[in-house]
Amino acid sequence: MSAVYKHVLDAVDIETFLICEDEDEGKGLIIKMLEDMGFNDINVVFIEHNGPGARIRARGYVHKSGDKYGWLNTRRDG
Amino acid sequence: MKSKKHKVLLAPLDPVHDIGLKMIKRALDEKGHHTILLPPDLPPEEILNKIHENKVDTVLISRTLGYGVAEILGKFIDLIDASGLRDTIKIALGGMAVTPELATELGFDAGFGPGTEVEEAVAFVEGREYKPDIGKFVKNKKDITQRYSYKYTDKEIENLLDKITSQILEWSNNKTSPGVKRAELREEMLKTSNPKELAKLRNEYKELCDDVVKNFYENGKLHSRTRKLTKEELESLENYVAKIKARMKPNGLQHIDKNPLVFIQYGTGCPFMDIAHIKLCEAWGTDGVVHFDPSWGARTEGFFEGYITHEEDGSVITPENLLRIKKSINENVLWQVRAHRGLNTPETVVLAGNSGADLTKINIAYGSLGGGTDPERLTVDAISAIKYAAKYNMPFDVVTNEELSGVPAYKAFSGMLIVSHLALKLGGKPILQPLFCYSPEVMINGNMENNYIDFNAAKIFVLRKIIDAPIWPGAPIGFLTHTEERVQSSITTALHAGLASSLGVDAISIASSDEAFSGGPIAGASRIDTLKATKEVFRFLGNAKITPTKKAEEWAQILQENIKKILTKVAQHGNFVSALYEGLLGSREEGAYPGRAGRNTVTSKHSY
């Protein structure tokens, strides 16, 4: 993962509209998208499918409580 | 000395937009300057003619649209240069498409972009340095209990509360618990600097703790999913906080003085992440922050010590963690450490008081019916905690979250009023905390089928009919109306904040926009969503109000009658603790279960 992610306080949220058949397809697509961006800890915070596709908000956690936070510039950064 | 009056030409070099210039014109006129506002979209040549004709000394040009900016404005400056006016007049540029850098590059003396205060332009005209009105944004810590008399309007309720609280105090006389004793020891530990004395006290302390805590003091072992923060991490935190403090310019949320104070709850698990969340909330205008401890901490006898981080929700209370957090909080931001449930209630108040907390949170009824602590134990502990709160001059809210389990509001309010009256007798300063929520009770009875306003308003109306006391709806407002959808969640928070402000309450606690998302921790950015939404609703309403329907008054009346019935039953029952076990303040059928943590640990003071 790029060093720039050290600056993320906790998580990156991606909000978009995906053209898809149903919620399941939308979830699969957004998870794949975040995986391709290099995230490991991925959650779908919100999804609502209607008509052409899904309004979706997905989250990739960079720093969780108890981690070593990159933004602190610790020697053992995470 | 009389200040120089300027002759100012204001010209919108734009097809339509001249609102900014009109606002500046008004301010300049008020200060006695002579102003000439040109109509929009005159060609640069014509503006130049007007400058000549009127012999102005200052020109303010505005340009909102982004396209062709450099070309048009460059041409204007070329014309000014060619006319020989450049050295005799001052020219500034403002508008949505403008940045100070762009203005300088084009040859203007100053540039005012989006967010510019009118006063900045006035200062430019008057040739003085602009000093932001920082007083507008400086927070002052408010004591929200100060203007209240705590006098009862409903004397019948006052008499019932007097009777019940006398019974409680009589019952508790001569009773103690490991929690009470640990709080006493902790106070002594905090006072002593003698290592031998400290070791002796710590030895006594650990004998009153559960094995998991005892093991820490004897073998240094921590609770699972926790770890000690390293020296390097602590140093990095110091640097981080110092850097943030140096560049912090906190916003204010309130639009008028009557808007309530706004609190957020943190409790990420890690004091570092807590501090990071606190700092961003401070920047975006929060008035107060609430410390949220882990649920296992409430069920465990005794506290750990040291800088400890935790991987789950709720941040571990230790003397060091609290002090570290306190050190990072802006001095004008209120800090509440909640102690409303659990086996460490009195000690939490002692630590909060010694760490410089402004507020705490105590309620026997919620803590024992919805928070998992044995009613007998929590009653003994809460009396001790209330005394410490009074000693450390910390007002505390009396939360009614048992409503979320299904306890009807009138029963939850009865419990809240009993604890509040107990506090008044013990010298404390209670703050009433009704829930603004879509509770199981209203779902079943349909009180919110039409709107979310009337039943919440009824709660405020009834409390005002009973006692003159501060009110702080929580926690968070709009509980169970939030969804995982960010916009909906922010709007419901904002609307409940608007209702709270309309009802003239003293403070509110708000959720983040991802509060309803249970898949992971709250993200910092989601806190900004609801802080901004709350600020916007305060701005939207100003002195206007959300008006409840007549249902609110009707329900307030019913609530008051039902509260009297419950208090009468509790008073007649003769024993508050037994009333809690027997469901008078919330029954098992309603979803209230007397807690088990700490059962059979209350003893006579003489047994210690």
Side-chain angles (χ1 to χ4, degrees), chain B residues 185-186 189 195-209 216-217 305 320:
Chain B
L185 288 168
R186 180 64 68 186
M189 286 156 82
K196 274 188 183 171
E197 175 70 7
L198 188 60
K200 183 180 157 282
L201 291 166
R202 199 173 270 139
N203 209 36
E204 277 183 62
Y205 180 92
K206 74 177 170 62
E207 294 305 321
L208 296 163
C209 296
F216 166 78
Y217 286 104
E305 289 180 3
E320 292 78 6

mmCIF file with all atom_site columns, all heavy atoms in Angstrom, chain B residues 185-186 189 195-209 216-217 305 320:
data_model
loop_
_atom_site.group_PDB
_atom_site.id
_atom_site.type_symbol
_atom_site.label_atom_id
_atom_site.label_alt_id
_atom_site.label_comp_id
_atom_site.label_asym_id
_atom_site.label_entity_id
_atom_site.label_seq_id
_atom_site.pdbx_PDB_ins_code
_atom_site.Cartn_x
_atom_site.Cartn_y
_atom_site.Cartn_z
_atom_site.occupancy
_atom_site.B_iso_or_equiv
_atom_site.pdbx_formal_charge
_atom_site.auth_seq_id
_atom_site.auth_comp_id
_atom_site.auth_asym_id
_atom_site.auth_atom_id
_atom_site.pdbx_PDB_model_num
ATOM 1   N N   . LEU B 1 185 ? -9.278  4.059   48.437 1.00 0.00 ? 185 LEU B N   1
ATOM 2   C CA  . LEU B 1 185 ? -7.847  3.764   48.290 1.00 0.00 ? 185 LEU B CA  1
ATOM 3   C C   . LEU B 1 185 ? -7.239  4.557   47.143 1.00 0.00 ? 185 LEU B C   1
ATOM 4   O O   . LEU B 1 185 ? -6.124  5.065   47.234 1.00 0.00 ? 185 LEU B O   1
ATOM 5   C CB  . LEU B 1 185 ? -7.642  2.262   48.050 1.00 0.00 ? 185 LEU B CB  1
ATOM 6   C CG  . LEU B 1 185 ? -7.887  1.355   49.259 1.00 0.00 ? 185 LEU B CG  1
ATOM 7   C CD1 . LEU B 1 185 ? -7.958  -0.112  48.838 1.00 0.00 ? 185 LEU B CD1 1
ATOM 8   C CD2 . LEU B 1 185 ? -6.764  1.543   50.299 1.00 0.00 ? 185 LEU B CD2 1
ATOM 9   N N   . ARG B 1 186 ? -7.989  4.651   46.045 1.00 0.00 ? 186 ARG B N   1
ATOM 10  C CA  . ARG B 1 186 ? -7.467  5.383   44.880 1.00 0.00 ? 186 ARG B CA  1
ATOM 11  C C   . ARG B 1 186 ? -7.210  6.840   45.232 1.00 0.00 ? 186 ARG B C   1
ATOM 12  O O   . ARG B 1 186 ? -6.195  7.419   44.826 1.00 0.00 ? 186 ARG B O   1
ATOM 13  C CB  . ARG B 1 186 ? -8.445  5.267   43.707 1.00 0.00 ? 186 ARG B CB  1
ATOM 14  C CG  . ARG B 1 186 ? -8.007  5.983   42.452 1.00 0.00 ? 186 ARG B CG  1
ATOM 15  C CD  . ARG B 1 186 ? -6.731  5.428   41.837 1.00 0.00 ? 186 ARG B CD  1
ATOM 16  N NE  . ARG B 1 186 ? -6.914  4.084   41.300 1.00 0.00 ? 186 ARG B NE  1
ATOM 17  C CZ  . ARG B 1 186 ? -5.911  3.335   40.807 1.00 0.00 ? 186 ARG B CZ  1
ATOM 18  N NH1 . ARG B 1 186 ? -4.661  3.797   40.815 1.00 0.00 ? 186 ARG B NH1 1
ATOM 19  N NH2 . ARG B 1 186 ? -6.148  2.124   40.340 1.00 0.00 ? 186 ARG B NH2 1
ATOM 20  N N   . MET B 1 189 ? -4.076  6.902   47.046 1.00 0.00 ? 189 MET B N   1
ATOM 21  C CA  . MET B 1 189 ? -2.951  6.632   46.143 1.00 0.00 ? 189 MET B CA  1
ATOM 22  C C   . MET B 1 189 ? -2.594  7.868   45.326 1.00 0.00 ? 189 MET B C   1
ATOM 23  O O   . MET B 1 189 ? -1.422  8.142   45.055 1.00 0.00 ? 189 MET B O   1
ATOM 24  C CB  . MET B 1 189 ? -3.295  5.464   45.200 1.00 0.00 ? 189 MET B CB  1
ATOM 25  C CG  . MET B 1 189 ? -3.260  4.105   45.887 1.00 0.00 ? 189 MET B CG  1
ATOM 26  S SD  . MET B 1 189 ? -4.293  2.867   45.066 1.00 0.00 ? 189 MET B SD  1
ATOM 27  C CE  . MET B 1 189 ? -3.240  2.326   43.769 1.00 0.00 ? 189 MET B CE  1
ATOM 28  N N   . PRO B 1 195 ? 6.715   6.207   47.918 1.00 0.00 ? 195 PRO B N   1
ATOM 29  C CA  . PRO B 1 195 ? 6.660   4.912   47.226 1.00 0.00 ? 195 PRO B CA  1
ATOM 30  C C   . PRO B 1 195 ? 6.227   3.750   48.127 1.00 0.00 ? 195 PRO B C   1
ATOM 31  O O   . PRO B 1 195 ? 5.490   2.863   47.684 1.00 0.00 ? 195 PRO B O   1
ATOM 32  C CB  . PRO B 1 195 ? 8.093   4.704   46.726 1.00 0.00 ? 195 PRO B CB  1
ATOM 33  C CG  . PRO B 1 195 ? 8.730   6.039   46.774 1.00 0.00 ? 195 PRO B CG  1
ATOM 34  C CD  . PRO B 1 195 ? 8.035   6.822   47.828 1.00 0.00 ? 195 PRO B CD  1
ATOM 35  N N   . LYS B 1 196 ? 6.671   3.782   49.397 1.00 0.00 ? 196 LYS B N   1
ATOM 36  C CA  . LYS B 1 196 ? 6.318   2.685   50.320 1.00 0.00 ? 196 LYS B CA  1
ATOM 37  C C   . LYS B 1 196 ? 4.823   2.703   50.607 1.00 0.00 ? 196 LYS B C   1
ATOM 38  O O   . LYS B 1 196 ? 4.151   1.674   50.609 1.00 0.00 ? 196 LYS B O   1
ATOM 39  C CB  . LYS B 1 196 ? 7.093   2.820   51.635 1.00 0.00 ? 196 LYS B CB  1
ATOM 40  C CG  . LYS B 1 196 ? 8.463   2.190   51.579 1.00 0.00 ? 196 LYS B CG  1
ATOM 41  C CD  . LYS B 1 196 ? 9.077   2.195   52.962 1.00 0.00 ? 196 LYS B CD  1
ATOM 42  C CE  . LYS B 1 196 ? 10.498  1.616   52.901 1.00 0.00 ? 196 LYS B CE  1
ATOM 43  N NZ  . LYS B 1 196 ? 11.197  1.789   54.153 1.00 0.00 ? 196 LYS B NZ  1
ATOM 44  N N   . GLU B 1 197 ? 4.319   3.909   50.843 1.00 0.00 ? 197 GLU B N   1
ATOM 45  C CA  . GLU B 1 197 ? 2.902   4.087   51.124 1.00 0.00 ? 197 GLU B CA  1
ATOM 46  C C   . GLU B 1 197 ? 2.070   3.654   49.904 1.00 0.00 ? 197 GLU B C   1
ATOM 47  O O   . GLU B 1 197 ? 1.055   2.968   50.033 1.00 0.00 ? 197 GLU B O   1
ATOM 48  C CB  . GLU B 1 197 ? 2.644   5.563   51.474 1.00 0.00 ? 197 GLU B CB  1
ATOM 49  C CG  . GLU B 1 197 ? 1.202   5.967   51.673 1.00 0.00 ? 197 GLU B CG  1
ATOM 50  C CD  . GLU B 1 197 ? 0.571   5.400   52.943 1.00 0.00 ? 197 GLU B CD  1
ATOM 51  O OE1 . GLU B 1 197 ? 1.299   4.797   53.742 1.00 0.00 ? 197 GLU B OE1 1
ATOM 52  O OE2 . GLU B 1 197 ? -0.655  5.532   53.086 1.00 0.00 ? 197 GLU B OE2 1
ATOM 53  N N   . LEU B 1 198 ? 2.564   4.045   48.732 1.00 0.00 ? 198 LEU B N   1
ATOM 54  C CA  . LEU B 1 198 ? 1.857   3.713   47.491 1.00 0.00 ? 198 LEU B CA  1
ATOM 55  C C   . LEU B 1 198 ? 1.808   2.194   47.299 1.00 0.00 ? 198 LEU B C   1
ATOM 56  O O   . LEU B 1 198 ? 0.762   1.632   46.932 1.00 0.00 ? 198 LEU B O   1
ATOM 57  C CB  . LEU B 1 198 ? 2.561   4.388   46.305 1.00 0.00 ? 198 LEU B CB  1
ATOM 58  C CG  . LEU B 1 198 ? 1.845   4.309   44.963 1.00 0.00 ? 198 LEU B CG  1
ATOM 59  C CD1 . LEU B 1 198 ? 0.476   4.975   45.024 1.00 0.00 ? 198 LEU B CD1 1
ATOM 60  C CD2 . LEU B 1 198 ? 2.692   4.968   43.869 1.00 0.00 ? 198 LEU B CD2 1
ATOM 61  N N   . ALA B 1 199 ? 2.928   1.536   47.563 1.00 0.00 ? 199 ALA B N   1
ATOM 62  C CA  . ALA B 1 199 ? 2.990   0.078   47.408 1.00 0.00 ? 199 ALA B CA  1
ATOM 63  C C   . ALA B 1 199 ? 2.014   -0.600  48.369 1.00 0.00 ? 199 ALA B C   1
ATOM 64  O O   . ALA B 1 199 ? 1.326   -1.572  48.022 1.00 0.00 ? 199 ALA B O   1
ATOM 65  C CB  . ALA B 1 199 ? 4.414   -0.408  47.642 1.00 0.00 ? 199 ALA B CB  1
ATOM 66  N N   . LYS B 1 200 ? 1.940   -0.053  49.572 1.00 0.00 ? 200 LYS B N   1
ATOM 67  C CA  . LYS B 1 200 ? 1.028   -0.623  50.581 1.00 0.00 ? 200 LYS B CA  1
ATOM 68  C C   . LYS B 1 200 ? -0.433  -0.461  50.138 1.00 0.00 ? 200 LYS B C   1
ATOM 69  O O   . LYS B 1 200 ? -1.237  -1.406  50.191 1.00 0.00 ? 200 LYS B O   1
ATOM 70  C CB  . LYS B 1 200 ? 1.271   0.091   51.917 1.00 0.00 ? 200 LYS B CB  1
ATOM 71  C CG  . LYS B 1 200 ? 0.458   -0.427  53.072 1.00 0.00 ? 200 LYS B CG  1
ATOM 72  C CD  . LYS B 1 200 ? 0.794   0.354   54.345 1.00 0.00 ? 200 LYS B CD  1
ATOM 73  C CE  . LYS B 1 200 ? -0.328  0.279   55.355 1.00 0.00 ? 200 LYS B CE  1
ATOM 74  N NZ  . LYS B 1 200 ? -1.447  1.139   55.096 1.00 0.00 ? 200 LYS B NZ  1
ATOM 75  N N   . LEU B 1 201 ? -0.737  0.722   49.673 1.00 0.00 ? 201 LEU B N   1
ATOM 76  C CA  . LEU B 1 201 ? -2.110  0.990   49.228 1.00 0.00 ? 201 LEU B CA  1
ATOM 77  C C   . LEU B 1 201 ? -2.477  0.139   48.011 1.00 0.00 ? 201 LEU B C   1
ATOM 78  O O   . LEU B 1 201 ? -3.570  -0.407  47.910 1.00 0.00 ? 201 LEU B O   1
ATOM 79  C CB  . LEU B 1 201 ? -2.274  2.480   48.875 1.00 0.00 ? 201 LEU B CB  1
ATOM 80  C CG  . LEU B 1 201 ? -2.218  3.470   50.033 1.00 0.00 ? 201 LEU B CG  1
ATOM 81  C CD1 . LEU B 1 201 ? -2.047  4.896   49.534 1.00 0.00 ? 201 LEU B CD1 1
ATOM 82  C CD2 . LEU B 1 201 ? -3.483  3.362   50.885 1.00 0.00 ? 201 LEU B CD2 1
ATOM 83  N N   . ARG B 1 202 ? -1.504  -0.005  47.093 1.00 0.00 ? 202 ARG B N   1
ATOM 84  C CA  . ARG B 1 202 ? -1.752  -0.789  45.888 1.00 0.00 ? 202 ARG B CA  1
ATOM 85  C C   . ARG B 1 202 ? -1.983  -2.257  46.250 1.00 0.00 ? 202 ARG B C   1
ATOM 86  O O   . ARG B 1 202 ? -2.781  -2.949  45.625 1.00 0.00 ? 202 ARG B O   1
ATOM 87  C CB  . ARG B 1 202 ? -0.567  -0.641  44.942 1.00 0.00 ? 202 ARG B CB  1
ATOM 88  C CG  . ARG B 1 202 ? -0.892  -1.018  43.523 1.00 0.00 ? 202 ARG B CG  1
ATOM 89  C CD  . ARG B 1 202 ? 0.251   -0.690  42.598 1.00 0.00 ? 202 ARG B CD  1
ATOM 90  N NE  . ARG B 1 202 ? 0.172   0.640   42.038 1.00 0.00 ? 202 ARG B NE  1
ATOM 91  C CZ  . ARG B 1 202 ? 1.202   1.455   41.880 1.00 0.00 ? 202 ARG B CZ  1
ATOM 92  N NH1 . ARG B 1 202 ? 2.403   1.098   42.268 1.00 0.00 ? 202 ARG B NH1 1
ATOM 93  N NH2 . ARG B 1 202 ? 1.035   2.630   41.331 1.00 0.00 ? 202 ARG B NH2 1
ATOM 94  N N   . ASN B 1 203 ? -1.277  -2.699  47.256 1.00 0.00 ? 203 ASN B N   1
ATOM 95  C CA  . ASN B 1 203 ? -1.437  -4.071  47.726 1.00 0.00 ? 203 ASN B CA  1
ATOM 96  C C   . ASN B 1 203 ? -2.849  -4.297  48.270 1.00 0.00 ? 203 ASN B C   1
ATOM 97  O O   . ASN B 1 203 ? -3.481  -5.317  48.000 1.00 0.00 ? 203 ASN B O   1
ATOM 98  C CB  . ASN B 1 203 ? -0.386  -4.342  48.802 1.00 0.00 ? 203 ASN B CB  1
ATOM 99  C CG  . ASN B 1 203 ? 0.000   -5.801  48.830 1.00 0.00 ? 203 ASN B CG  1
ATOM 100 O OD1 . ASN B 1 203 ? 0.065   -6.436  47.766 1.00 0.00 ? 203 ASN B OD1 1
ATOM 101 N ND2 . ASN B 1 203 ? 0.228   -6.329  50.020 1.00 0.00 ? 203 ASN B ND2 1
ATOM 102 N N   . GLU B 1 204 ? -3.313  -3.318  49.022 1.00 0.00 ? 204 GLU B N   1
ATOM 103 C CA  . GLU B 1 204 ? -4.700  -3.406  49.534 1.00 0.00 ? 204 GLU B CA  1
ATOM 104 C C   . GLU B 1 204 ? -5.688  -3.354  48.386 1.00 0.00 ? 204 GLU B C   1
ATOM 105 O O   . GLU B 1 204 ? -6.685  -4.066  48.359 1.00 0.00 ? 204 GLU B O   1
ATOM 106 C CB  . GLU B 1 204 ? -4.989  -2.208  50.457 1.00 0.00 ? 204 GLU B CB  1
ATOM 107 C CG  . GLU B 1 204 ? -4.527  -2.354  51.876 1.00 0.00 ? 204 GLU B CG  1
ATOM 108 C CD  . GLU B 1 204 ? -4.941  -1.126  52.698 1.00 0.00 ? 204 GLU B CD  1
ATOM 109 O OE1 . GLU B 1 204 ? -6.152  -0.883  52.833 1.00 0.00 ? 204 GLU B OE1 1
ATOM 110 O OE2 . GLU B 1 204 ? -4.032  -0.426  53.177 1.00 0.00 ? 204 GLU B OE2 1
ATOM 111 N N   . TYR B 1 205 ? -5.384  -2.490  47.419 1.00 0.00 ? 205 TYR B N   1
ATOM 112 C CA  . TYR B 1 205 ? -6.280  -2.270  46.276 1.00 0.00 ? 205 TYR B CA  1
ATOM 113 C C   . TYR B 1 205 ? -6.474  -3.563  45.487 1.00 0.00 ? 205 TYR B C   1
ATOM 114 O O   . TYR B 1 205 ? -7.604  -3.947  45.165 1.00 0.00 ? 205 TYR B O   1
ATOM 115 C CB  . TYR B 1 205 ? -5.688  -1.175  45.383 1.00 0.00 ? 205 TYR B CB  1
ATOM 116 C CG  . TYR B 1 205 ? -6.509  -0.837  44.159 1.00 0.00 ? 205 TYR B CG  1
ATOM 117 C CD1 . TYR B 1 205 ? -7.463  0.178   44.190 1.00 0.00 ? 205 TYR B CD1 1
ATOM 118 C CD2 . TYR B 1 205 ? -6.339  -1.527  42.950 1.00 0.00 ? 205 TYR B CD2 1
ATOM 119 C CE1 . TYR B 1 205 ? -8.218  0.507   43.077 1.00 0.00 ? 205 TYR B CE1 1
ATOM 120 C CE2 . TYR B 1 205 ? -7.089  -1.218  41.834 1.00 0.00 ? 205 TYR B CE2 1
ATOM 121 C CZ  . TYR B 1 205 ? -8.024  -0.198  41.895 1.00 0.00 ? 205 TYR B CZ  1
ATOM 122 O OH  . TYR B 1 205 ? -8.776  0.101   40.782 1.00 0.00 ? 205 TYR B OH  1
ATOM 123 N N   . LYS B 1 206 ? -5.375  -4.237  45.189 1.00 0.00 ? 206 LYS B N   1
ATOM 124 C CA  . LYS B 1 206 ? -5.486  -5.418  44.323 1.00 0.00 ? 206 LYS B CA  1
ATOM 125 C C   . LYS B 1 206 ? -6.289  -6.539  44.966 1.00 0.00 ? 206 LYS B C   1
ATOM 126 O O   . LYS B 1 206 ? -6.912  -7.342  44.277 1.00 0.00 ? 206 LYS B O   1
ATOM 127 C CB  . LYS B 1 206 ? -4.106  -5.915  43.883 1.00 0.00 ? 206 LYS B CB  1
ATOM 128 C CG  . LYS B 1 206 ? -3.277  -6.631  44.947 1.00 0.00 ? 206 LYS B CG  1
ATOM 129 C CD  . LYS B 1 206 ? -1.979  -7.115  44.336 1.00 0.00 ? 206 LYS B CD  1
ATOM 130 C CE  . LYS B 1 206 ? -0.997  -7.623  45.374 1.00 0.00 ? 206 LYS B CE  1
ATOM 131 N NZ  . LYS B 1 206 ? -1.446  -8.787  46.150 1.00 0.00 ? 206 LYS B NZ  1
ATOM 132 N N   . GLU B 1 207 ? -6.301  -6.561  46.285 1.00 0.00 ? 207 GLU B N   1
ATOM 133 C CA  . GLU B 1 207 ? -7.077  -7.597  46.980 1.00 0.00 ? 207 GLU B CA  1
ATOM 134 C C   . GLU B 1 207 ? -8.582  -7.387  46.801 1.00 0.00 ? 207 GLU B C   1
ATOM 135 O O   . GLU B 1 207 ? -9.381  -8.276  47.050 1.00 0.00 ? 207 GLU B O   1
ATOM 136 C CB  . GLU B 1 207 ? -6.735  -7.612  48.475 1.00 0.00 ? 207 GLU B CB  1
ATOM 137 C CG  . GLU B 1 207 ? -5.305  -8.037  48.787 1.00 0.00 ? 207 GLU B CG  1
ATOM 138 C CD  . GLU B 1 207 ? -4.942  -9.392  48.177 1.00 0.00 ? 207 GLU B CD  1
ATOM 139 O OE1 . GLU B 1 207 ? -5.811  -10.310 48.183 1.00 0.00 ? 207 GLU B OE1 1
ATOM 140 O OE2 . GLU B 1 207 ? -3.808  -9.534  47.682 1.00 0.00 ? 207 GLU B OE2 1
ATOM 141 N N   . LEU B 1 208 ? -8.958  -6.191  46.358 1.00 0.00 ? 208 LEU B N   1
ATOM 142 C CA  . LEU B 1 208 ? -10.375 -5.882  46.149 1.00 0.00 ? 208 LEU B CA  1
ATOM 143 C C   . LEU B 1 208 ? -10.755 -5.978  44.672 1.00 0.00 ? 208 LEU B C   1
ATOM 144 O O   . LEU B 1 208 ? -11.842 -5.569  44.278 1.00 0.00 ? 208 LEU B O   1
ATOM 145 C CB  . LEU B 1 208 ? -10.681 -4.460  46.649 1.00 0.00 ? 208 LEU B CB  1
ATOM 146 C CG  . LEU B 1 208 ? -10.496 -4.232  48.145 1.00 0.00 ? 208 LEU B CG  1
ATOM 147 C CD1 . LEU B 1 208 ? -10.404 -2.741  48.454 1.00 0.00 ? 208 LEU B CD1 1
ATOM 148 C CD2 . LEU B 1 208 ? -11.641 -4.862  48.913 1.00 0.00 ? 208 LEU B CD2 1
ATOM 149 N N   . CYS B 1 209 ? -9.837  -6.511  43.866 1.00 0.00 ? 209 CYS B N   1
ATOM 150 C CA  . CYS B 1 209 ? -10.063 -6.572  42.407 1.00 0.00 ? 209 CYS B CA  1
ATOM 151 C C   . CYS B 1 209 ? -10.372 -7.989  41.947 1.00 0.00 ? 209 CYS B C   1
ATOM 152 O O   . CYS B 1 209 ? -10.045 -8.966  42.634 1.00 0.00 ? 209 CYS B O   1
ATOM 153 C CB  . CYS B 1 209 ? -8.816  -6.088  41.660 1.00 0.00 ? 209 CYS B CB  1
ATOM 154 S SG  . CYS B 1 209 ? -8.413  -4.373  41.962 1.00 0.00 ? 209 CYS B SG  1
ATOM 155 N N   . PHE B 1 216 ? -2.670  -8.425  36.926 1.00 0.00 ? 216 PHE B N   1
ATOM 156 C CA  . PHE B 1 216 ? -1.904  -7.305  36.373 1.00 0.00 ? 216 PHE B CA  1
ATOM 157 C C   . PHE B 1 216 ? -0.969  -6.743  37.436 1.00 0.00 ? 216 PHE B C   1
ATOM 158 O O   . PHE B 1 216 ? 0.217   -6.509  37.187 1.00 0.00 ? 216 PHE B O   1
ATOM 159 C CB  . PHE B 1 216 ? -2.862  -6.220  35.859 1.00 0.00 ? 216 PHE B CB  1
ATOM 160 C CG  . PHE B 1 216 ? -2.186  -4.903  35.593 1.00 0.00 ? 216 PHE B CG  1
ATOM 161 C CD1 . PHE B 1 216 ? -1.434  -4.714  34.446 1.00 0.00 ? 216 PHE B CD1 1
ATOM 162 C CD2 . PHE B 1 216 ? -2.276  -3.850  36.502 1.00 0.00 ? 216 PHE B CD2 1
ATOM 163 C CE1 . PHE B 1 216 ? -0.800  -3.508  34.198 1.00 0.00 ? 216 PHE B CE1 1
ATOM 164 C CE2 . PHE B 1 216 ? -1.645  -2.643  36.263 1.00 0.00 ? 216 PHE B CE2 1
ATOM 165 C CZ  . PHE B 1 216 ? -0.899  -2.462  35.105 1.00 0.00 ? 216 PHE B CZ  1
ATOM 166 N N   . TYR B 1 217 ? -1.531  -6.516  38.627 1.00 0.00 ? 217 TYR B N   1
ATOM 167 C CA  . TYR B 1 217 ? -0.708  -5.905  39.678 1.00 0.00 ? 217 TYR B CA  1
ATOM 168 C C   . TYR B 1 217 ? 0.367   -6.880  40.178 1.00 0.00 ? 217 TYR B C   1
ATOM 169 O O   . TYR B 1 217 ? 1.442   -6.460  40.600 1.00 0.00 ? 217 TYR B O   1
ATOM 170 C CB  . TYR B 1 217 ? -1.584  -5.427  40.839 1.00 0.00 ? 217 TYR B CB  1
ATOM 171 C CG  . TYR B 1 217 ? -2.343  -4.166  40.475 1.00 0.00 ? 217 TYR B CG  1
ATOM 172 C CD1 . TYR B 1 217 ? -3.697  -4.207  40.160 1.00 0.00 ? 217 TYR B CD1 1
ATOM 173 C CD2 . TYR B 1 217 ? -1.695  -2.934  40.423 1.00 0.00 ? 217 TYR B CD2 1
ATOM 174 C CE1 . TYR B 1 217 ? -4.387  -3.048  39.806 1.00 0.00 ? 217 TYR B CE1 1
ATOM 175 C CE2 . TYR B 1 217 ? -2.374  -1.772  40.064 1.00 0.00 ? 217 TYR B CE2 1
ATOM 176 C CZ  . TYR B 1 217 ? -3.716  -1.835  39.763 1.00 0.00 ? 217 TYR B CZ  1
ATOM 177 O OH  . TYR B 1 217 ? -4.379  -0.700  39.397 1.00 0.00 ? 217 TYR B OH  1
ATOM 178 N N   . GLU B 1 305 ? -3.496  0.061   35.480 1.00 0.00 ? 305 GLU B N   1
ATOM 179 C CA  . GLU B 1 305 ? -2.752  1.317   35.482 1.00 0.00 ? 305 GLU B CA  1
ATOM 180 C C   . GLU B 1 305 ? -1.864  1.361   34.248 1.00 0.00 ? 305 GLU B C   1
ATOM 181 O O   . GLU B 1 305 ? -1.546  0.321   33.667 1.00 0.00 ? 305 GLU B O   1
ATOM 182 C CB  . GLU B 1 305 ? -1.881  1.441   36.747 1.00 0.00 ? 305 GLU B CB  1
ATOM 183 C CG  . GLU B 1 305 ? -2.698  1.664   38.005 1.00 0.00 ? 305 GLU B CG  1
ATOM 184 C CD  . GLU B 1 305 ? -1.840  1.780   39.262 1.00 0.00 ? 305 GLU B CD  1
ATOM 185 O OE1 . GLU B 1 305 ? -0.596  1.753   39.151 1.00 0.00 ? 305 GLU B OE1 1
ATOM 186 O OE2 . GLU B 1 305 ? -2.415  1.882   40.356 1.00 0.00 ? 305 GLU B OE2 1
ATOM 187 N N   . GLU B 1 320 ? -3.491  7.058   34.026 1.00 0.00 ? 320 GLU B N   1
ATOM 188 C CA  . GLU B 1 320 ? -2.588  7.627   33.013 1.00 0.00 ? 320 GLU B CA  1
ATOM 189 C C   . GLU B 1 320 ? -3.337  7.937   31.719 1.00 0.00 ? 320 GLU B C   1
ATOM 190 O O   . GLU B 1 320 ? -3.127  8.988   31.105 1.00 0.00 ? 320 GLU B O   1
ATOM 191 C CB  . GLU B 1 320 ? -1.432  6.648   32.730 1.00 0.00 ? 320 GLU B CB  1
ATOM 192 C CG  . GLU B 1 320 ? -0.478  6.470   33.901 1.00 0.00 ? 320 GLU B CG  1
ATOM 193 C CD  . GLU B 1 320 ? -1.011  5.538   34.994 1.00 0.00 ? 320 GLU B CD  1
ATOM 194 O OE1 . GLU B 1 320 ? -2.084  4.924   34.797 1.00 0.00 ? 320 GLU B OE1 1
ATOM 195 O OE2 . GLU B 1 320 ? -0.356  5.447   36.051 1.00 0.00 ? 320 GLU B OE2 1
#
